[in-house]
Amino acid sequence: MTERIAPTSPPDDPSDGDRLSPARLALARQTWLEIAHLLANLPASIIGFVYVVTMLATGAGLAVTVVGLPLLAAGLRGSRQLGKVERARARRLLRLRIDEPSPLPVRRTGFFGWLWSSLKDPVGWRAVLYDLIRLPWGVVTFTVTLVSLFVLWPVLPFIARGLTNVDRAMVRGLLSPSDELERRIAELESDRGVVVDTAAADLRRIERDLHDGAQARLVNLAMGLGLAKEKLLEDPDAAASMVDEAHGEVKLALQELRDLARGIHPAVLTDRGLDAALSAIASRCTVPVKVTAELETRPAAAIEGIAYFTVSELLQNVSKHSGARSASVEVWRTDERLLIQVSDDGRGGAGLDGGTGIAGLADRLGAVDGLFVVESPVGGPTVITAELPWRDRQNEPAQ
């Protein structure tokens, strides 16, 4: 009689993510991992419960003193580490796909900044809640699993799967990061870096323009007036000629200062609003531009400024790169968004990697929750749509 040996089941592949093999009467590798997790629940929950209770009792009891709140803040950071260990255990034994939450932001704000960020850390407080409610569950899972190993062996895989499914739910609910919140935090951190870089670049541009333009002309003006002063008595005609040249230098310096001020924040935008400011930009464009602004009220000054400089940059690109014969600018409000559309009938081919400042505009708009869409097939036409959040203008004191 030939004895037939049943083939053994292949080990579970960890790369399958959350797909678990069905529970079977024969104990598979995954079942043994689940049993190990359930038996380890009791010592892990005791450690976590004792730590949390001690931390809360010490921090709350000493809250009236100087050291109470710092101890509580340090304890919350420690609870973060306990949560990290539990997530690692769930990944290893339960094959649970779970991400790590974002670390606490590192700010150079001194002791009080560290204290406040630690005390309001939601990840630490959720880990505290997890460790508080885990102790009774750890006792239950340890007892049921240990008894089932000797008494309920045939149905142990199903018991282990049911108990660990509760563990998976608890880990997902209390120890997993909030996807939307974590995504938003990452976006804000990235946007903050873009804003800082943009501000630094603008300051360098202003400094360079002042140094190379108006400052150089004023230096020449001072030198010319000094020479004219020396020649005033001995050669009045030459002195008069030098004064005329200095007068021309003054006019050029004033024009450069006006251009620089317009690049920082134009007076027409402050005084008359977006419609008049965009018309002024269009009048300086080398291509005929039709401007349509349908705004019943003015947006906040910051949003208005971003919209102005966005259109200014796009019309400069139209003048320099498009080869267009005409262009148009449309501005309107839809619900709580300000929409800007700049189009031209040029050669097209514009893109975020075209090196014409469009990528920088996209970064600037993204830093304020805006959108930037480029439609520019080769051969044209080009239609660029920018979208900004609408914020109402606050009443500003008269100056």
Side-chain angles (χ1 to χ4, degrees), residues 187-204:
E187 287 182 356
L188 290 176
E189 290 177 347
S190 175
D191 293 345
R192 181 179 61 186
V194 171
V195 170
V196 171
D197 293 342
T198 300
D202 288 340
L203 288 175
R204 288 193 298 269

Side-chain angles (χ1 to χ4, degrees), residues 234-311:
E234 60 185 49
D235 192 354
D237 293 336
S241 176
M242 291 179 180
V243 170
D244 288 338
E245 292 180 2
H247 185 253
E249 288 290 331
V250 168
K251 290 182 178 180
L252 292 175
L254 287 174
Q255 182 60 42
E256 289 186 355
L257 287 175
R258 289 192 191 99
D259 295 339
L260 181 60
R262 187 184 297 116
I264 299 173
H265 194 82
V268 65
L269 180 62
T270 302
D271 297 338
R272 300 176 56 191
L274 198 56
D275 190 359
L278 296 184
S279 298
I281 299 175
S283 66
R284 297 194 298 269
C285 185
T286 59
V287 175
V289 180
K290 178 183 178 181
V291 178
T292 305
E294 299 177 355
L295 299 175
E296 296 181 358
T297 59
R298 295 177 63 177
I303 298 299
E304 200 173 55
I306 294 173
Y308 172 86
F309 288 110
T310 299
V311 175

Side-chain angles (χ1 to χ4, degrees), residues 56-76:
L56 291 177
T58 305
L62 297 176
V64 295
T65 67
V66 178
V67 298
L69 291 179
L71 285 177
L72 184 60
L76 286 171

Side-chain angles (χ1 to χ4, degrees), residues 68-82:
L69 291 179
L71 285 177
L72 184 60
L76 286 171
R77 291 193 173 235
S79 66
R80 259 183 168 257
Q81 300 306 312
L82 289 179

Side-chain angles (χ1 to χ4, degrees), residues 317-329:
N317 288 339
V318 171
S319 297
K320 296 177 181 178
H321 308 290
S322 69
R325 291 172 295 180
S326 64
S328 65
V329 177

